[in-house]
Coordinates of all heavy atoms in Angstrom, one line a residue:
M92 N 0.8 -1.2 0.0 CA 0.0 0.0 0.0 C 0.9 1.2 0.0 O 1.8 1.4 0.8 CB -0.9 0.0 1.3 CG -1.6 1.2 1.5 SD -2.9 1.0 2.8 CE -2.9 2.6 3.6
V93 N 0.6 2.1 -0.9 CA 1.4 3.3 -1.1 C 0.6 4.5 -0.5 O -0.5 4.8 -1.0 CB 1.8 3.6 -2.5 CG1 2.5 4.9 -2.7 CG2 2.6 2.4 -3.0
V94 N 1.1 5.2 0.5 CA 0.4 6.3 1.0 C 1.1 7.6 0.6 O 2.3 7.8 0.8 CB 0.3 6.3 2.6 CG1 -0.4 7.5 3.1 CG2 -0.3 5.0 3.0
E95 N 0.3 8.5 0.0 CA 0.9 9.8 -0.5 C 1.0 10.7 0.7 O 0.5 10.5 1.8 CB 0.0 10.4 -1.6 CG -0.2 9.5 -2.8 CD 1.2 9.2 -3.5 OE1 1.9 10.2 -3.8 OE2 1.6 8.1 -3.6
L96 N 1.7 11.8 0.5 CA 1.9 12.8 1.5 C 0.7 13.3 2.1 O 0.6 13.7 3.3 CB 2.8 13.9 1.0 CG 4.3 13.5 0.8 CD1 5.0 14.7 0.2 CD2 5.0 13.0 2.0
D97 N -0.4 13.5 1.3 CA -1.6 14.0 1.8 C -2.6 13.0 2.3 O -3.7 13.2 2.6 CB -2.3 14.9 0.7 CG -2.6 14.1 -0.5 OD1 -2.3 12.8 -0.5 OD2 -3.1 14.6 -1.5
G98 N -2.1 11.7 2.5 CA -2.9 10.7 3.0 C -3.8 10.0 2.0 O -4.5 9.1 2.4
K99 N -3.7 10.4 0.8 CA -4.6 9.8 -0.2 C -3.8 8.7 -1.0 O -2.6 8.8 -1.2 CB -5.1 10.8 -1.2 CG -6.1 11.8 -0.6 CD -6.6 12.8 -1.6 CE -7.5 13.8 -1.0 NZ -8.0 14.8 -1.9
I100 N -4.5 7.7 -1.5 CA -3.9 6.7 -2.3 C -4.7 6.5 -3.6 O -5.9 6.9 -3.7 CB -3.7 5.4 -1.5 CG1 -5.1 4.9 -0.9 CG2 -2.7 5.5 -0.4 CD1 -5.0 3.6 -0.2
F101 N -4.1 5.8 -4.5 CA -4.8 5.5 -5.8 C -5.5 4.2 -5.7 O -5.0 3.2 -5.2 CB -3.8 5.5 -6.9 CG -3.3 6.8 -7.4 CD1 -2.0 7.3 -6.9 CD2 -4.0 7.6 -8.3 CE1 -1.6 8.5 -7.3 CE2 -3.5 8.8 -8.7 CZ -2.3 9.3 -8.2
F102 N -6.7 4.2 -6.3 CA -7.4 3.0 -6.4 C -7.8 2.8 -7.9 O -8.0 3.8 -8.6 CB -8.8 3.1 -5.6 CG -8.6 3.1 -4.2 CD1 -8.4 4.3 -3.5 CD2 -8.5 1.9 -3.4 CE1 -8.2 4.3 -2.1 CE2 -8.3 1.9 -2.1 CZ -8.2 3.1 -1.4
R103 N -7.9 1.6 -8.4 CA -8.3 1.3 -9.7 C -9.4 0.4 -9.7 O -9.4 -0.7 -9.1 CB -7.1 0.7 -10.5 CG -7.5 0.4 -12.0 CD -6.3 -0.2 -12.7 NE -5.7 -1.4 -12.1 CZ -6.3 -2.6 -12.2 NH1 -7.4 -2.8 -12.9 NH2 -5.8 -3.7 -11.6
C104 N -10.5 0.7 -10.5 CA -11.6 -0.2 -10.6 C -11.2 -1.4 -11.5 O -10.7 -1.2 -12.6 CB -12.8 0.5 -11.3 SG -14.2 -0.6 -11.7
N105 N -11.3 -2.6 -11.0 CA -10.9 -3.7 -11.8 C -11.9 -4.2 -12.9 O -11.7 -5.1 -13.6 CB -10.5 -4.9 -10.9 CG -11.6 -5.4 -10.1 OD1 -12.8 -5.3 -10.4 ND2 -11.3 -6.0 -8.9
V106 N -13.0 -3.4 -13.0 CA -14.0 -3.7 -14.0 C -13.8 -2.7 -15.2 O -13.7 -3.2 -16.3 CB -15.4 -3.5 -13.4 CG1 -16.5 -3.7 -14.6 CG2 -15.6 -4.5 -12.3
C107 N -13.7 -1.4 -14.9 CA -13.6 -0.4 -16.0 C -12.3 0.3 -16.0 O -12.1 1.2 -16.9 CB -14.8 0.5 -15.9 SG -14.7 1.6 -14.5
N108 N -11.3 0.0 -15.1 CA -10.0 0.6 -15.0 C -10.1 2.1 -14.7 O -9.1 2.8 -14.9 CB -9.2 0.4 -16.4 CG -8.5 -0.9 -16.4 OD1 -8.3 -1.5 -15.3 ND2 -8.1 -1.3 -17.5
D109 N -11.2 2.6 -14.1 CA -11.2 3.9 -13.7 C -10.3 4.2 -12.5 O -10.3 3.3 -11.6 CB -12.7 4.2 -13.3 CG -12.9 5.7 -13.0 OD1 -12.4 6.5 -13.8 OD2 -13.7 6.0 -12.1
I110 N -9.5 5.2 -12.6 CA -8.6 5.6 -11.5 C -9.3 6.6 -10.5 O -9.9 7.6 -10.9 CB -7.3 6.2 -12.0 CG1 -6.6 5.2 -12.9 CG2 -6.4 6.7 -10.9 CD1 -6.0 4.0 -12.1
H111 N -9.2 6.2 -9.2 CA -9.8 7.1 -8.2 C -8.8 7.4 -7.2 O -8.0 6.5 -6.8 CB -11.0 6.4 -7.6 CG -11.8 7.2 -6.7 ND1 -12.8 8.1 -7.2 CD2 -11.9 7.4 -5.4 CE1 -13.3 8.8 -6.2 NE2 -12.8 8.3 -5.1
Y112 N -8.7 8.7 -6.8 CA -7.6 9.1 -5.9 C -8.2 9.7 -4.7 O -8.8 10.8 -4.7 CB -6.7 10.1 -6.6 CG -5.6 10.7 -5.8 CD1 -4.6 9.8 -5.3 CD2 -5.4 12.0 -5.6 CE1 -3.5 10.3 -4.6 CE2 -4.4 12.5 -4.8 CZ -3.4 11.6 -4.4 OH -2.4 12.1 -3.6
S113 N -8.1 9.0 -3.6 CA -8.7 9.5 -2.3 C -8.2 8.7 -1.2 O -7.3 7.8 -1.3 CB -10.3 9.3 -2.4 OG -10.6 7.9 -2.4
A114 N -8.7 9.0 0.0 CA -8.2 8.3 1.2 C -8.7 6.9 1.3 O -8.1 6.0 1.9 CB -8.6 9.1 2.5
A115 N -9.9 6.7 0.7 CA -10.5 5.3 0.7 C -11.2 5.1 -0.6 O -11.7 6.0 -1.2 CB -11.5 5.2 1.9
G116 N -11.2 3.8 -1.1 CA -11.8 3.5 -2.3 C -13.3 3.6 -2.2 O -13.9 3.3 -1.2
P117 N -14.0 4.1 -3.3 CA -15.4 4.2 -3.3 C -16.1 2.8 -3.2 O -15.5 1.8 -3.7 CB -15.7 4.8 -4.7 CG -14.4 5.0 -5.4 CD -13.3 4.4 -4.6
E118 N -17.2 2.8 -2.5 CA -17.9 1.5 -2.3 C -18.5 1.0 -3.7 O -18.5 -0.1 -4.0 CB -19.0 1.6 -1.3 CG -19.4 0.3 -0.7 CD -20.3 0.6 0.6 OE1 -19.8 1.2 1.5 OE2 -21.5 0.2 0.5
V119 N -19.0 2.0 -4.4 CA -19.5 1.7 -5.7 C -18.8 2.6 -6.7 O -18.7 3.8 -6.6 CB -21.1 2.0 -5.7 CG1 -21.6 1.7 -7.1 CG2 -21.8 1.2 -4.7
C120 N -18.3 1.9 -7.8 CA -17.6 2.7 -8.9 C -18.6 3.7 -9.5 O -19.7 3.3 -10.0 CB -17.2 1.7 -9.9 SG -16.4 2.5 -11.3
P121 N -18.2 5.0 -9.5 CA -19.0 6.0 -10.1 C -19.2 5.9 -11.6 O -20.1 6.5 -12.2 CB -18.3 7.3 -9.7 CG -16.9 6.9 -9.5 CD -16.9 5.5 -9.0
T122 N -18.3 5.1 -12.2 CA -18.3 5.0 -13.7 C -19.1 3.8 -14.2 O -19.9 3.9 -15.0 CB -16.8 4.9 -14.2 OG1 -16.1 6.0 -13.8 CG2 -16.8 4.8 -15.7
C123 N -18.9 2.6 -13.6 CA -19.5 1.4 -14.0 C -20.5 0.8 -13.0 O -21.1 -0.2 -13.3 CB -18.5 0.4 -14.5 SG -17.6 -0.4 -13.2
R124 N -20.6 1.4 -11.8 CA -21.5 1.0 -10.8 C -21.1 -0.4 -10.2 O -22.0 -1.0 -9.4 CB -22.9 0.9 -11.3 CG -23.4 2.2 -11.9 CD -23.5 3.3 -10.9 NE -23.9 4.6 -11.5 CZ -23.8 5.8 -10.9 NH1 -23.4 5.8 -9.7 NH2 -24.2 6.9 -11.5
A125 N -19.9 -0.9 -10.4 CA -19.5 -2.1 -9.8 C -19.3 -1.9 -8.3 O -18.8 -0.9 -7.9 CB -18.3 -2.7 -10.5
K126 N -19.7 -2.9 -7.5 CA -19.5 -2.8 -6.1 C -18.2 -3.4 -5.6 O -17.9 -4.5 -6.0 CB -20.7 -3.5 -5.3 CG -22.0 -2.7 -5.5 CD -23.1 -3.3 -4.6 CE -24.4 -2.5 -4.7 NZ -25.5 -3.1 -4.0
N127 N -17.5 -2.7 -4.7 CA -16.3 -3.2 -4.2 C -15.3 -3.7 -5.2 O -14.6 -4.7 -5.1 CB -16.5 -4.3 -3.2 CG -17.4 -3.9 -2.0 OD1 -17.2 -2.8 -1.5 ND2 -18.4 -4.7 -1.6
A128 N -15.2 -2.9 -6.3 CA -14.3 -3.3 -7.4 C -13.0 -2.6 -7.4 O -12.1 -2.9 -8.1 CB -15.0 -3.0 -8.8
Y129 N -12.8 -1.7 -6.4 CA -11.6 -0.9 -6.4 C -10.5 -1.6 -5.7 O -10.7 -2.1 -4.6 CB -11.8 0.5 -5.8 CG -12.3 1.5 -6.8 CD1 -13.7 1.6 -7.1 CD2 -11.4 2.3 -7.5 CE1 -14.1 2.5 -8.0 CE2 -11.9 3.2 -8.4 CZ -13.2 3.3 -8.7 OH -13.7 4.2 -9.6
V130 N -9.3 -1.6 -6.3 CA -8.1 -2.2 -5.7 C -7.1 -1.1 -5.6 O -7.0 -0.2 -6.4 CB -7.6 -3.4 -6.5 CG1 -8.6 -4.5 -6.4 CG2 -7.3 -3.0 -7.9
E131 N -6.3 -1.2 -4.5 CA -5.2 -0.2 -4.4 C -4.1 -0.4 -5.4 O -3.7 -1.5 -5.7 CB -4.6 -0.3 -3.0 CG -5.5 0.0 -1.9 CD -4.9 -0.3 -0.5 OE1 -3.6 -0.4 -0.5 OE2 -5.6 -0.4 0.5
V132 N -3.6 0.7 -6.0 CA -2.5 0.6 -6.9 C -1.5 1.7 -6.5 O -1.9 2.7 -5.9 CB -3.0 0.8 -8.4 CG1 -3.9 -0.3 -8.9 CG2 -3.6 2.2 -8.6
D133 N -0.3 1.5 -6.9 CA 0.7 2.5 -6.6 C 0.7 3.5 -7.7 O 0.1 3.4 -8.8 CB 2.1 1.9 -6.4 CG 2.7 1.2 -7.6 OD1 2.3 1.5 -8.7 OD2 3.4 0.2 -7.4
V134 N 1.5 4.6 -7.5 CA 1.4 5.8 -8.4 C 1.9 5.4 -9.8 O 1.3 5.8 -10.8 CB 2.3 6.9 -7.9 CG1 2.4 8.0 -8.9 CG2 1.8 7.4 -6.5
S135 N 2.9 4.5 -9.9 CA 3.4 4.2 -11.3 C 2.4 3.4 -12.0 O 2.2 3.6 -13.2 CB 4.7 3.4 -11.1 OG 4.6 2.3 -10.4
E136 N 1.7 2.5 -11.4 CA 0.7 1.7 -12.1 C -0.5 2.6 -12.5 O -1.0 2.5 -13.6 CB 0.2 0.6 -11.2 CG -0.8 -0.3 -11.9 CD -1.3 -1.5 -11.1 OE1 -0.7 -1.8 -10.1 OE2 -2.3 -2.1 -11.5
A137 N -0.9 3.5 -11.6 CA -1.9 4.5 -12.0 C -1.6 5.3 -13.2 O -2.4 5.5 -14.1 CB -2.2 5.4 -10.8
R138 N -0.3 5.7 -13.3 CA 0.1 6.5 -14.5 C 0.1 5.6 -15.7 O -0.3 6.1 -16.8 CB 1.5 7.0 -14.3 CG 1.5 8.2 -13.3 CD 2.9 8.8 -13.2 NE 2.9 9.9 -12.2 CZ 3.8 10.2 -11.3 NH1 4.8 9.4 -11.2 NH2 3.7 11.2 -10.6
I139 N 0.5 4.4 -15.6 CA 0.5 3.5 -16.8 C -1.0 3.3 -17.3 O -1.3 3.4 -18.5 CB 1.1 2.1 -16.4 CG1 2.6 2.3 -16.2 CG2 0.9 1.1 -17.5 CD1 3.3 1.1 -15.6
V140 N -1.9 3.0 -16.3 CA -3.3 2.8 -16.7 C -3.9 4.0 -17.4 O -4.6 3.9 -18.3 CB -4.1 2.4 -15.5 CG1 -5.6 2.3 -15.8 CG2 -3.6 1.0 -14.9
E141 N -3.5 5.2 -16.9 CA -4.0 6.4 -17.4 C -3.3 6.9 -18.7 O -3.6 7.9 -19.3 CB -4.0 7.5 -16.4 CG -5.0 7.3 -15.2 CD -5.2 8.5 -14.4 OE1 -4.3 9.3 -14.1 OE2 -6.4 8.7 -14.0
G142 N -2.2 6.2 -19.0 CA -1.5 6.5 -20.2 C -0.6 7.7 -20.1 O -0.2 8.4 -21.1
L143 N -0.1 8.0 -18.9 CA 0.7 9.2 -18.6 C 2.2 8.8 -18.7 O 2.6 7.6 -18.5 CB 0.4 9.8 -17.3 CG -1.0 10.3 -17.1 CD1 -1.2 10.7 -15.6 CD2 -1.3 11.4 -18.0
Ligands
ZN108 ZN1 -15.7 0.8 -12.7

């Protein structure tokens, strides 16, 4: 688990690959409505998924 300086971490929805950046993963994905689909990812993986 990677904790950023502001206490937020990256989460990725394993259904739609949506990246969410907050202190805790959303219970329901705002993009695809999947429940408990968010997994913690580190910054480098988040950048790869987002194509940065
Ligand atoms: Zn999703």
Side-chain angles (χ1 to χ4, degrees):
M92 169 170 149
V93 177
V94 179
E95 299 300 304
L96 289 176
D97 59 2
K99 293 180 179 179
I100 54 179
F101 284 97
F102 293 88
R103 178 178 59 79
C104 175
N105 61 26
V106 176
C107 69
N108 274 343
D109 189 39
I110 296 292
H111 190 79
Y112 181 59
S113 67
E118 199 168 300
V119 178
C120 176
T122 304
C123 72
R124 307 294 178 193
K126 289 186 178 178
N127 299 316
Y129 275 86
V130 293
E131 293 175 19
V132 295
D133 62 28
V134 175
S135 59
E136 185 179 343
R138 285 183 179 140
I139 290 168
V140 171
E141 293 196 321
L143 300 175

